[in-house]
Amino acid sequence: MDLSLNLLAVAKVAVDDYVGFTFFVGCMAMMAASAFFFLSMNSFDKKWRTSILVSGLITFIAAVHYWYMRDYWAANVESPTFFRYVDWVLTVPLMCVEFFLILKVAGAKKSLMWRLIFLSVVMLVTGYIGEAVDRENAALWGFFSGAAYFVIVYDIWLGKAKKLAVAAGGSVLSAHKTLCWFVLVGWAIYPLGYMAGTPGWYDGLNGILDMDVIYNIGDAINKIGFGLVIYNLAVQKSDETLKA
Ligand SMILES: *C/C=C(C)/C=C/C=C(C)/C=C/C1=C(C)CCCC1(C)C
């Protein structure tokens, strides 16, 4: 038998493998979104190009990780925890950069960005420990992770970021508000996935939906949707510039 041929063969996706299906569709969606953001970038006013570029980088980094996760799942039928968290630890801080970029017009300082980045890394590292390193105490690690998440929600909804958004007003304020909803509702999908996939007092949630399906739905909503909010803001702002 020719083994090399066998190694190159594409793993099968079973008809009832709905987790594998969401990895596949997620991968394609991230690629398509990246092409969309990158190709539309130059039609905007210079000030907004970086924001659109970052939207594209977020979906592109996710697309590459989905490529690996799709493969990993197909070969092992096991959660690709490592790739998942490497993806998040790169893309979630970039989402914090997006908050900073749109608030820069109102004078946002880099310290605001670094604070959000720091909190998001704490949220993800504690989540990773609970999911992969110290599963017995997953609930406790999830609690620490949730606390960091809560501070992020507070900062953008009521803290300094909110004040800057109010100062900027207009379409920046409304885009900021939409992004805040993404973080409050869209990001809340992730702790649900975590509870579905780790042991803890919430064990009743296990088996309702697969953890990876929940994470994949969350990623599609948050990475692509978040990018489209920025895109929409850039469209509005460029129109304003044209009219002025
Ligand atoms: C593109 C990826 C995104 C937006 C990922 C966001 C991930 C989270 C908001 C994860 C949060 C978690 C908790 C709040 C508690 C349990 C552990 C986590 C890491 C799943």
Side-chain angles (χ1 to χ4, degrees), residues 85 88 91-92 95 123 127 142 145 149 187 190-191 194 219 223:
Y85 276 85
W88 288 354
T91 53
V92 178
M95 293 172 128
M123 173 180 86
S145 174
Y149 169 57
W187 287 21
Y190 297 98
Y194 182 89
D219 280 354
K223 294 188 164 63

Side-chain angles (χ1 to χ4, degrees), residues 230-242:
I230 308 280
Y231 174 83
N232 194 39
L233 173 66
V235 170
Q236 283 175 351
K237 279 293 179 186
S238 300
D239 283 354
E240 280 170 27
T241 319
L242 279 179

Side-chain angles (χ1 to χ4, degrees), residues 164-183:
L164 289 163
V166 170
S171 43
V172 170
L173 177 59
S174 69
H176 177 82
K177 218 172 245 166
T178 313
L179 294 183
C180 282
W181 278 108
F182 268 96
V183 174

Side-chain angles (χ1 to χ4, degrees), residues 62-154:
V64 175
H65 285 86
Y66 267 79
W67 181 266
Y68 281 98
M69 292 198 285
R70 182 193 53 80
D71 251 3
Y72 186 95
W73 176 270
N76 306 301
V77 196
E78 181 185 284
S79 196
T81 313
F82 173 78
F83 293 118
R84 175 80 73 192
Y85 276 85
V86 175
D87 172 355
W88 288 354
V89 93
L90 297 170
T91 53
V92 178
L94 281 175
M95 293 172 128
C96 300
V97 173
E98 292 278 39
F99 270 101
F100 165 73
L101 286 175
I102 71 165
L103 295 175
K104 229 166 66 173
V105 285
K109 297 215 177 66
K110 285 237 174 73
S111 57
L112 172 86
M113 179 183 83
W114 286 116
R115 183 182 154 90
L116 290 175
I117 290 176
F118 173 76
L119 288 164
S120 70
V121 171
V122 170
M123 173 180 86
L124 295 171
V125 169
T126 47
Y128 181 76
I129 296 174
E131 216 176 288
V133 183
D134 185 21
R135 278 179 77 82
E136 260 149 69
N137 295 309
L140 184 66
W141 290 109
F143 173 80
F144 290 137
S145 174
Y149 169 57
F150 183 81
V151 181
I152 296 175
V153 169
Y154 176 86

